[in-house]
């Protein structure tokens, strides 16, 4: 069974017209949710509107489960889960999306950013594959990014420990950056691309920041 654990998320907004203190728009460490509950269902019950699934069916097989690992809660995602984080269709401003992912030995993970979220009619801004051992473009321990072009960047990733990711999106300047931090290491800039392109770099599709999708 393929699986990936998702620890926490943080979306930070910086004012684009004048110097401002960062504003936290979404911060979810799963701690307020009951262990064993479905992520989107628990989130909605807590009064949050940011979690759903690819088919917009909270509570279905696409909805991940709240779990506990080493004393902290996290999202536990198995193959078939298609967890979507709604980001508000923002088209102005500067954003940082930060989160942690653990991939168990021999398993695979994937996440994307969407310019538009509409199931199979969505428009992809970034696709990030982790440990795709069955892929012709990536081997175990390797990540591949499609952003502003196919196979735009590759880098080494690890199993069985938390990896930190930061995606910096400046919708005003039309630029995005992908940062990765391995445990105990410094943050590394992996890739920079033109934000308004689709993930394959074949079309300019707009600057909207609609959603993220996590799919093990």
């Amino acid at each position: 069974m393929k699986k990936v654990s998702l620890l926490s998320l943080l979306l930070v907004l910086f004012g684009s017209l004048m110097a401002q203190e960062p504003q936290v728009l979404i911060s979810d460490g799963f701690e307020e949710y009951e262990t064993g509950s479905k992520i989107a269902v628990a989130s909605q019950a807590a009064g949050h509107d940011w979690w759903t699934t690819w088919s917009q069916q909270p509570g279905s097989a696409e909805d991940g489960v709240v779990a506990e690992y080493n004393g902290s809660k996290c999202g536990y995602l198995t193959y078939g889960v298609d967890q979507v984080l709604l980001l508000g269709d923002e088209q102005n401003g500067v954003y940082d999306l930060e989160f942690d992912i653990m991939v168990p030995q021999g398993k695979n993970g994937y996440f994307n950013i969407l310019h538009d979220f509409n199931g199979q009619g969505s428009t992809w801004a970034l696709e990030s594959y982790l440990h795709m051992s069955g892929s012709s473009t990536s081997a175990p321990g390797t990540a591949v990014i499609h952003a502003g072009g196919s196979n735009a960047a590759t880098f080494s990733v690890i199993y069985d420990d938390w990896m930190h990711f930061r995606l910096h999106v400046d919708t005003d300047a039309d630029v995005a950056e992908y940062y990765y931090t391995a445990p105990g290491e410094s943050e590394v800039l992996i890739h920079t691309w033109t934000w308004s392109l689709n993930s394959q770099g074949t079309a300019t599709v707009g600057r909207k920041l609609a959603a993220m999708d996590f799919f093990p």
Side-chain angles (χ1 to χ4, degrees):
M1 181 178 292
K2 301 181 177 73
K3 55 187 178 180
V4 55
S5 294
L6 172 67
L7 179 63
S8 61
L9 297 110
L10 178 68
L11 173 61
V12 181
L13 166 65
F14 296 89
S16 58
L17 299 180
M18 61 188 71
Q20 297 180 11
E21 290 296 318
Q23 177 187 354
V24 178
L25 300 180
I26 296 173
S27 179
D28 199 341
F30 301 97
E31 293 297 335
E32 63 182 309
Y33 308 147
E34 183 179 352
T35 301
S37 61
K38 291 283 191 174
I39 293 172
V41 172
S43 175
Q44 291 176 5
H48 306 314
D49 59 0
W50 50 64
W51 284 115
T52 187
T53 74
W54 190 251
S55 301
Q56 301 198 54
Q57 297 183 42
S60 69
E62 290 184 329
D63 199 353
V65 176
V66 178
E68 188 167 326
Y69 181 80
N70 284 349
S72 296
K73 291 184 180 179
C74 62
Y76 179 69
L77 311 183
T78 58
Y79 185 72
V81 169
D82 220 338
Q83 202 79 52
V84 174
L85 179 70
L86 301 174
L87 300 177
D89 292 339
E90 303 289 352
Q91 299 187 68
N92 302 103
V94 183
Y95 302 85
D96 277 314
L97 298 88
E98 299 190 44
F99 50 95
D100 297 279
I101 290 178
M102 180 190 295
V103 179
Q105 180 69 36
K107 307 303 180 179
N108 304 328
Y110 166 90
F111 64 85
N112 64 43
I113 309 179
L114 300 171
H115 282 302
D116 288 291
F117 169 52
N118 183 28
Q120 291 304 313
S122 298
T123 303
W124 283 255
L126 163 113
E127 297 181 83
S128 180
Y129 293 84
L130 308 174
H131 304 301
M132 296 300 292
S133 57
S135 170
S136 61
T137 59
S138 182
T142 302
V144 174
I145 301 169
H146 307 310
S150 180
N151 299 316
T154 61
F155 61 101
S156 296
V157 285
I158 63 169
Y159 290 113
D160 296 326
D161 206 345
W162 293 107
M163 301 174 286
H164 185 74
F165 298 86
R166 180 168 69 92
L167 308 174
H168 178 78
V169 178
D170 187 336
T171 65
D172 301 321
D174 196 18
V175 64
E177 297 169 334
Y178 184 118
Y179 293 88
Y180 170 73
T181 307
E185 303 293 335
S186 298
E187 183 179 73
V188 176
L189 173 61
I190 300 296
H191 182 54
T192 302
W193 74 100
T194 301
W195 167 244
S196 58
L197 292 173
N198 63 8
S199 62
Q200 299 297 311
T202 57
T204 298
V205 295
R207 303 188 183 189
K208 188 190 301 181
L209 177 62
M212 288 190 69
D213 176 47
F214 299 89
F215 180 70

